[in-house]
Amino acid sequence: MKLCLNQATTMPYGLEETIRATAAAGIENIGLWVEPVEEAGVTATKRWLNDSGLAATSMSRVGFLANKRGNELEGAYDSVRRALDTCAELDIPTLAFVAGGLLEEDRSIRNAEGRVRDALETLLPEIAQSGVKVMLEPIHPLFVNDRSIVTSVGQALRVLDGLPSENFGVLVDSWATFWDPDLKDSLNRAAILDRLTGYQINDFTLPLPVPNNMNGRLMPGDGIIDLTSMTQWVADTGYSGTVEVEVFNDDIWKLPLDEILKLTVAAYEKVIGNVHLN
């Protein structure tokens, strides 16, 4: 399991600068974000990746459609289709998908699951044609109202049940899923079903910052998550993909880019150093 920098960790810095600095730090893989790539353009992004030797192994993120109707829903579909095209052009194998929140007039999580499932079935022809695997990403239950009604790996597997595993997987984020007492069993089941597609590490602490609660993630090893056990569970499934360090943190974002990357490498090595890899 090799280190991958998720671009969120260096969010304030430009895409070209981040790609060059990541390669210089000895990191071989990068997880890109849709918006910076759209801003830079596919041609420039491809050139920067080729020049650096970095492999772009994931793209974040699309979806957010469980609470959309009408034109807003169609716009969300179009965003997914554009991202699939971008991934295909850049040879990025996976695309993160976040479910979206609850409708004002319908607070049923099971109904919302159905809307997400319907959306994935609607998009299946384009997903299959692109060759990109869409990763449904559970988000911490704190954000079930407005960001994601999918909050656990087991729930993600239920939403994806029956859809082709070559097209749909699950992205596991430690900050989002560590709380789940059934996580180990769900990881094993995801691997058996060929759906354990991505793994991101970061750390949790309280209190969360206000108003941007999402920006309270810490570097792996700096919070309360038992990342050694969690990463061991992932490794024991036979997972051989990258381990993305994805950190949303205003204080970290204020640091020089090179310092952020040094912290990223050190945090990854701290976690992986305690894991027995097959």
Side-chain angles (χ1 to χ4, degrees):
M1 298 194 294
K2 289 188 176 181
L3 168 62
C4 177
L5 172 79
N6 185 285
Q7 196 182 353
T9 307
T10 59
M11 189 69 77
Y13 293 93
L15 178 56
E16 181 180 13
E17 183 182 11
T18 296
I19 287 173
R20 295 186 188 283
T22 300
I27 301 172
E28 299 177 357
N29 305 285
I30 189 167
L32 300 178
W33 275 57
V34 169
E35 293 83 1
V37 173
E38 286 183 341
E39 182 179 349
V42 169
T43 301
T45 302
K46 182 179 291 189
R47 182 174 69 252
W48 297 333
L49 289 170
N50 288 340
D51 290 346
S52 70
L54 283 183
T57 52
S58 72
M59 176 80 79
S60 297
R61 56 197 176 15
V62 292
F64 300 98
L65 44 67
N67 52 348
K68 290 182 170 62
R69 301 283 201 194
N71 290 336
E72 283 192 338
L73 180 58
E74 288 303 319
Y77 282 150
D78 288 341
S79 294
V80 176
R81 293 176 179 120
R82 287 196 303 273
L84 289 169
D85 289 341
T86 299
C87 287
E89 289 185 69
L90 293 173
D91 296 320
I92 299 175
T94 61
L95 174 64
F97 185 101
V98 179
L102 294 167
L103 286 169
E104 187 68 31
E105 68 274 18
D106 183 356
R107 295 299 184 178
S108 166
I109 290 177
R110 282 302 184 103
N111 289 348
E113 286 182 8
R115 292 192 295 275
V116 176
R117 173 59 179 249
D118 290 344
L120 296 177
E121 289 180 345
T122 298
L123 291 163
L124 176 55
E126 288 97 336
I127 293 169
Q129 183 175 9
S130 73
V132 177
K133 192 165 185 174
V134 169
M135 304 182 291
L136 183 57
E137 179 179 8
I139 303 295
H140 196 285
L142 284 166
F143 305 97
V144 68
N145 183 57
D146 60 346
R147 296 185 69 82
S148 178
I149 56 88
V150 176
T151 60
S152 71
V153 174
Q155 186 187 11
L157 293 175
R158 182 170 68 223
V159 172
L160 297 177
D161 186 40
L163 292 173
S165 61
E166 63 266 28
N167 303 123
F168 296 100
V170 178
L171 171 59
V172 178
D173 178 283
S174 61
W175 191 91
T177 62
F178 79 96
W179 57 270
D180 180 5
D182 296 324
L183 179 59
K184 183 179 181 181
D185 291 342
S186 294
L187 290 171
N188 287 333
R189 190 154 60 92
I192 291 169
L193 295 170
D194 192 28
R195 295 207 191 272
L196 184 53
T197 308
Y199 180 49
Q200 296 175 335
I201 57 173
N202 34 52
D203 223 325
F204 189 97
T205 191
L206 291 175
L208 297 176
V210 177
N212 296 319
N213 303 141
M214 289 288 288
N215 294 356
R217 303 186 190 200
L218 303 180
M219 279 287 173
D222 289 346
I224 58 90
I225 301 176
D226 182 1
L227 280 166
T228 297
S229 293
M230 186 172 180
T231 305
Q232 188 66 64
W233 297 341
V234 172
D236 287 346
T237 69
Y239 175 81
S240 58
T242 59
V243 178
E244 292 192 7
V245 175
E246 184 192 55
V247 176
F248 297 79
N249 187 293
D250 292 314
D251 291 332
I252 290 174
W253 287 339
K254 293 174 184 176
L255 298 173
L257 178 56
D258 289 348
E259 188 170 344
I260 296 175
L261 293 169
K262 287 178 183 177
L263 290 173
T264 298
V265 172
Y268 165 82
E269 291 178 346
K270 181 178 180 181
V271 172
I272 291 297
N274 293 316
V275 174
H276 176 69
L277 300 176
N278 296 324

